[in-house]
Amino acid sequence: TYINVIMQIGLEQVDVLVVPMLKTNLKSTAVGKCLLEKAGEQLKTNFDDAKGKHLFRLMPGDVLDVDGTPLGCNKVFFIECVPWTQITVDVEKVLCNGLEQALSLCEQQGWSSIAMPVIGPGPALSVPVKDATNILTEVISTFGRSGSKGSLKTIRIAIMPNYPDSEEIYQAIFTSLSAQMVDQMGQGKCPKVFQSLSSEIEEIKVTVGRCQLHLVLGDISNEVTDAVVNTTNFNDFQTDVCSDILTVAGPQVQDALTGVRVNKGEIFTTQPGNFPNASDGYQSVAIPAICAGKGGLEARLVAQSILQGVKDAALGVNFRHLKTIRIVILKINVFLEFKAMAQELFVTQMTAPAPLRPFTAATRGHQPSSLTIDLSSLVQSLPVQQSSTAEFLVMGSTPENVSGACRELRRTYERECASQSYSAEVVRHLGQDELDQIKNNVDSLGISITQQWPNEFVVKGLSNGVNEINRVMQGALVRQMTERDQDALFARVSWCILGSHGDWERLPKKANHQLENKNVTDGVMDAQGRMWKVNLIRMEATAIGAPSTVAKLKRLENLSDFSFPLYWDSMAPGETLKLFPLASSSAEYQRVKSDFKRTAQKTVLKIERIQNVHLRRAYEVRKKELQDKNGSPVGAGEKVLYHGTSDTACSSIQRSNFDRRYAGQNATRFGLGTYFAVNANYSAHPTFSVPAADGTQLMFVALVLTGHHTQGHSDMIAPPPRTPQDPNDRFDSVVDRMSNPNMFVVFHDCQAYPDYLITFR
């Protein structure tokens, strides 16, 4: 199935649209109203007809099947939803059931394509963005893992570009689906669903004169170009982009701007401050979408002005140094206007990254190791062998002479014959071309193949024929030994490549083995089937056929009882705790910062990744326990939450984890456990993130296993039992309120892990 992330529902031709509704009301959600406005009264008539066919009231999670002809599609599936604030209903389960039923109906009715929005973040349902995106991506993943062989080939996820949370929704969806393109084993997780993943807002590259123009959706304060363009009236430095740039640049740059007199249209240049220094002229520059935000200009006009200016300059001036011009755009709707304008102005020069595609083709003559060849099937597939006999007339003077001659004749024949047995493990490594070679030459080689045991078969016949089969099998034996070596290495060492969306992806076993043994002359292949030329000195890989695409490589050496998370960096032997400052230009830094700033209007000064082997090992053990105990869909209930801290407590948490024995220092309203906030702005309060003498504050971004949760109370020292019948089966965490909780409390120290430390002011 081809997954395509698109920016607005209804623009693409699909068989089925999925729409949320409340109380079986067509106009109860923004999506429903939008479609009604587009299709007119005929859609309402079809909706009412479908509703009238139901003898009973639709329950939460049910799907109303409506004729979609007025919208140019075959069907519209309306999912009966409930608001996130509904205390008496498991809203997450309702959404999961509705989405699963919509996909199932597509298969049952033979539809090949479906478009669905991220249901929930709007005002009608008020589902938090993280929960809404997690629900959707998990449903799609589960659908893929089911291995369905039905008709559904295309799933489009529609995101409304003008919604307040559209950037956050897009980032969450695309990051989640990109990560699931490749699993921990370096192979495609769900070959059926994750055949491809693409988006309308991938980075666009345009060749203009001797320069490359890049259109990028992102935060300009994370750029590492030689120069950054900013706009200001030299009095107010608090507009969004200007403030972000100056926050990174530092106070010395803002001081240099204060009070400066500059004529309108002139350029004032400052020192880079905390931005990178240009070593040899300005080779790269980052430019924001000037005046498209609080400046109030129409996005299309801004796009036309900036792109036309870049085109005129790049074609009209012979730049000595400048090679890269990056236009960095914060909002999706503005990016789409820039993309459309670029398509008008640069018709032939535009390029974009190819969709992500997990690689499924086998190498020459070698089947994927996950396939098992059934020996009985192999034997049965051979051509039916007729019993071939040769008749000899032996004549002699006495019976003894005749018998002796027959014995000698048999011995002579047996000297020309041989037999050889092979195990299932060897046969499993035969390629399809080798199997065909064996099947097609049984008669001509003068051999027979029989199954002697369930996991063994025997080749008998003329020695030359058996030797020929043995020669074919040698290749399988070599591959068997190579695969064993690859498996052993794969358990110890992880070679990773940085994907186009900033996520580290583990390379497949073969590439892992090649890199470890420095056998990279012919390049290596990633899990999407893309070939890369490798530079092990610089730890970089360049895409073959696309020399401008360069990705970082890294090597992780796992411990015997602990595999490093792919986003970690390598550590020295014996080292169990290390803090890694994140580069502000990295996707990892941008993701953590974006989540933090979604609710906390603070200035991020530094983000560090905490790598504590002992704590992470204990956390992963607890996670497996909860997954086994709770099963699907609840599982471990892993969430990314926040915990404010002080300078004195920070070091202790990094080394020894969160300690519930200190409960009560700030609050015990919901139990004597460790408290974590859903939103960063709560933890950013000085009561929890205690300011240091210089005014800086600290906050942990924690991974927390919430599992099954219930309402907390001040006297709880552990979560209560889930049922009176089994007092040992307890809830895994408690919350401040059951409907859309703001706070989670855990009572097991290994149930949380301090993943990042944010320093802010």
Side-chain angles (χ1 to χ4, degrees):
T1 293
Y2 183 100
I3 294 183
N4 185 18
V5 178
I6 61 174
M7 292 301 102
Q8 186 165 343
I9 197 165
L11 290 182
E12 297 289 335
Q13 289 297 314
V14 290
D15 293 321
V16 178
L17 297 179
V18 175
V19 181
M21 65 178 177
L22 291 169
K23 299 179 180 179
T24 322
N25 182 352
L26 172 59
K27 297 189 287 186
S28 56
T29 65
V31 179
K33 292 175 183 176
C34 176
L35 295 183
L36 181 60
E37 183 178 336
K38 179 178 179 181
E41 285 301 309
Q42 185 58 51
L43 179 63
K44 185 177 186 310
T45 301
N46 294 353
F47 182 90
D48 292 339
D49 288 345
K51 185 167 65 171
K53 293 176 183 177
H54 278 262
L55 299 177
F56 304 100
R57 181 171 62 89
L58 266 69
M59 300 302 293
D62 286 347
V63 172
L64 185 66
D65 184 339
V66 176
D67 180 5
T69 306
L71 288 164
C73 61
N74 293 295
K75 294 284 186 177
V76 182
F77 291 161
F78 287 86
I79 298 177
E80 182 66 37
C81 301
V82 290
W84 190 255
T85 53
Q86 188 87 16
I87 300 174
T88 58
V89 179
D90 187 339
V91 181
E92 185 172 335
K93 187 175 181 180
V94 166
L95 284 179
C96 285
N97 290 345
L99 291 167
E100 288 168 359
Q101 189 178 343
L103 292 172
S104 178
L105 282 172
C106 271
E107 297 259 277
Q108 292 172 22
Q109 298 179 11
W111 306 123
S112 63
S113 59
I114 186 172
M116 55 179 66
V118 180
I119 296 176
L125 301 181
S126 301
V127 179
V129 169
K130 284 185 181 178
D131 293 279
T133 54
N134 286 343
I135 290 167
L136 180 58
T137 54
E138 182 57 34
V139 167
I140 294 175
S141 300
T142 302
F143 177 74
R145 287 191 290 268
S146 69
S148 172
K149 303 294 184 183
S151 60
L152 188 57
K153 303 300 180 187
T154 303
I155 299 177
R156 298 185 184 275
I157 302 172
I159 299 170
M160 306 304 187
N162 293 306
Y163 279 17
D165 297 319
S166 58
E167 288 74 30
E168 183 185 357
I169 292 171
Y170 169 79
Q171 188 62 42
I173 286 285
F174 214 85
T175 299
S176 176
L177 294 183
S178 298
Q180 293 182 60
M181 291 286 290
V182 180
D183 68 4
Q184 294 294 313
M185 296 301 290
Q187 303 294 334
K189 266 189 178 178
C190 306
K192 180 182 186 303
V193 169
F194 298 103
Q195 177 184 337
S196 174
L197 179 64
S198 64
S199 166
E200 285 189 356
I201 56 174
E202 294 276 21
E203 179 175 332
I204 302 296
K205 296 180 181 179
V206 185
T207 301
V208 190
R210 298 171 65 179
C211 295
Q212 270 233 324
L213 170 65
H214 296 217
L215 302 182
V216 186
L217 181 74
D219 184 346
I220 196 168
S221 65
N222 295 320
E223 290 294 302
V224 291
T225 50
D226 295 333
V228 175
V229 173
N230 198 359
T231 59
T232 179
N233 59 7
F234 294 91
N235 292 316
D236 179 13
F237 302 118
Q238 298 308 309
T239 59
D240 290 343
V241 174
C242 181
S243 175
D244 288 345
I245 291 173
L246 292 179
T247 297
V248 174
Q252 68 274 27
V253 174
Q254 183 166 336
D255 291 343
L257 293 173
T258 304
V260 171
R261 294 182 178 274
V262 179
N263 294 326
K264 189 173 182 179
E266 290 184 353
I267 296 173
F268 183 79
T269 305
T270 70
Q271 292 300 309
N274 296 326
F275 281 103
N277 279 294
S279 55
D280 182 22
Y282 297 124
Q283 296 188 24
S284 58
V285 60
I287 305 171
I290 299 168
C291 294
K294 289 188 176 179
L297 289 182
E298 184 184 345
R300 179 172 175 79
L301 179 61
V302 172
Q304 183 179 24
S305 301
I306 292 179
L307 292 177
Q308 188 64 58
V310 167
K311 182 177 182 180
D312 293 344
L315 296 178
V317 178
N318 186 18
F319 292 125
R320 293 177 53 201
H321 302 292
L322 188 61
K323 293 183 174 63
T324 305
I325 304 167
R326 291 174 60 84
I327 299 178
V328 186
I329 304 157
L330 197 59
K331 304 294 289 183
I332 289 178
N333 63 315
V334 178
F335 180 91
L336 295 176
E337 291 289 358
F338 268 80
K339 178 181 177 180
M341 184 56 63
Q343 289 170 334
E344 291 182 21
L345 295 177
F346 311 102
V347 178
T348 60
Q349 302 100 317
M350 289 183 62
T351 61
L356 299 176
R357 296 181 184 275
F359 184 60
T360 57
T363 55
R364 178 207 155 277
H366 184 52
Q367 295 198 19
S369 59
S370 61
L371 299 179
T372 302
I373 297 176
D374 182 359
L375 293 182
S376 61
S377 298
L378 171 63
V379 174
Q380 291 169 12
S381 67
L382 295 172
V384 177
Q385 294 174 280
Q386 304 294 329
S387 297
S388 299
T389 59
E391 294 185 1
F392 292 84
L393 176 62
V394 180
M395 302 175 66
S397 58
T398 65
E400 290 78 10
N401 288 341
V402 171
S403 297
C406 288
R407 286 194 298 272
E408 183 61 31
L409 189 61
R410 181 176 293 278
R411 281 196 295 269
T412 301
Y413 173 74
E414 288 175 349
R415 281 196 296 271
E416 295 298 320
C417 292
S419 69
Q420 180 71 49
S421 61
Y422 299 98
S423 69
E425 182 65 20
V426 174
V427 175
R428 187 172 69 84
H429 291 82
L430 283 171
Q432 189 59 52
D433 55 346
E434 292 161 332
L435 285 169
D436 292 341
Q437 185 179 350
I438 292 173
K439 294 174 186 177
N440 296 333
N441 292 283
V442 169
D443 285 336
S444 62
L445 292 173
I447 60 171
S448 67
I449 300 176
T450 58
Q451 186 174 356
Q452 185 163 323
W453 304 104
N455 291 316
E456 183 178 56
F457 75 92
V458 177
V459 179
K460 293 181 180 179
L462 295 174
S463 297
N464 288 341
V466 174
N467 290 338
E468 179 63 22
I469 296 297
N470 200 47
R471 184 191 64 76
V472 173
M473 299 298 278
Q474 289 303 311
L477 285 166
V478 169
R479 285 194 290 274
Q480 179 190 0
M481 298 305 299
T482 301
E483 187 171 302
R484 286 180 179 175
D485 290 344
Q486 291 175 356
D487 288 342
L489 177 67
F490 206 67
R492 293 187 297 104
V493 175
S494 300
W495 279 88
C496 306
I497 188 167
L498 190 62
S500 59
H501 299 281
D503 296 309
W504 286 101
E505 301 170 1
R506 192 170 189 186
L507 288 163
K509 291 178 183 179
K510 182 179 179 181
N512 196 70
H513 193 263
Q514 288 176 281
L515 287 162
E516 187 70 11
N517 291 283
K518 299 180 174 60
N519 179 23
V520 294
T521 306
D522 297 327
V524 299
M525 182 182 292
D526 66 16
Q528 284 81 42
R530 194 170 196 178
M531 292 297 298
W532 298 83
K533 182 179 179 182
V534 171
N535 186 325
L536 287 173
I537 297 175
R538 300 177 63 179
M539 289 295 279
E540 287 183 350
T542 303
I544 294 176
S548 63
T549 303
V550 180
K552 294 180 181 178
L553 296 171
K554 74 174 176 183
R555 178 185 183 273
L556 297 174
E557 187 156 354
N558 300 319
L559 304 179
S560 60
D561 60 346
F562 176 71
S563 295
F564 278 34
L566 295 187
Y567 65 93
W568 277 24
D569 287 320
S570 57
M571 299 170 71
E575 191 173 30
T576 59
L577 171 62
K578 189 169 184 180
L579 267 67
F580 287 86
L582 302 185
S584 62
S585 59
S586 70
E588 186 179 8
Y589 179 99
Q590 294 176 38
R591 183 179 65 253
V592 176
K593 175 184 173 183
S594 174
D595 287 347
F596 172 85
K597 294 199 71 173
R598 183 171 56 86
T599 60
Q601 302 307 311
K602 303 286 185 177
T603 299
V604 175
L605 303 176
K606 180 171 58 174
I607 301 176
E608 297 166 284
R609 187 195 318 118
I610 302 163
Q611 295 189 189
N612 186 317
V613 172
H614 295 319
L615 298 188
R616 189 59 181 256
R617 182 195 289 118
Y619 173 84
E620 294 296 339
V621 170
R622 179 62 174 164
K623 182 177 178 180
K624 181 68 165 59
E625 288 175 3
L626 293 184
Q627 286 172 336
D628 292 344
K629 177 176 78 79
N630 295 333
S632 181
V634 175
E638 186 176 65
K639 296 183 183 297
V640 178
L641 303 174
Y642 298 95
H643 183 93
T645 187
S646 64
D647 198 31
T648 53
C650 179
S651 178
S652 174
I653 292 173
Q654 292 170 24
R655 294 181 178 280
S656 307
N657 214 342
F658 305 101
D659 194 334
R660 66 189 184 283
R661 291 176 299 177
Y662 293 103
Q665 289 190 333
N666 292 320
T668 58
R669 185 178 172 188
F670 304 106
L672 298 172
T674 306
Y675 285 62
F676 297 92
V678 172
N679 296 318
N681 62 341
Y682 184 92
S683 296
H685 193 280
T687 303
F688 310 114
S689 295
V690 181
D694 62 356
T696 58
Q697 296 172 267
L698 299 171
M699 185 187 301
F700 286 106
V701 180
L703 297 175
V704 184
L705 306 174
T706 63
H708 287 288
H709 61 264
T710 189
Q711 179 65 49
H713 298 287
S714 60
D715 58 347
M716 287 181 175
I717 60 173
R722 292 181 62 200
T723 61
Q725 292 78 17
D726 187 357
N728 295 317
D729 181 17
R730 296 178 175 273
F731 285 96
D732 305 306
S733 64
V734 301
V735 294
D736 59 333
R737 63 185 188 188
M738 288 300 293
S739 174
N740 194 15
N742 292 312
M743 190 77 59
F744 286 84
V745 184
V746 297
F747 300 83
H748 195 298
D749 291 341
C750 295
Q751 217 161 298
Y753 176 78
D755 206 18
Y756 298 97
L757 179 65
I758 300 177
T759 304
F760 63 97
R761 179 182 288 119

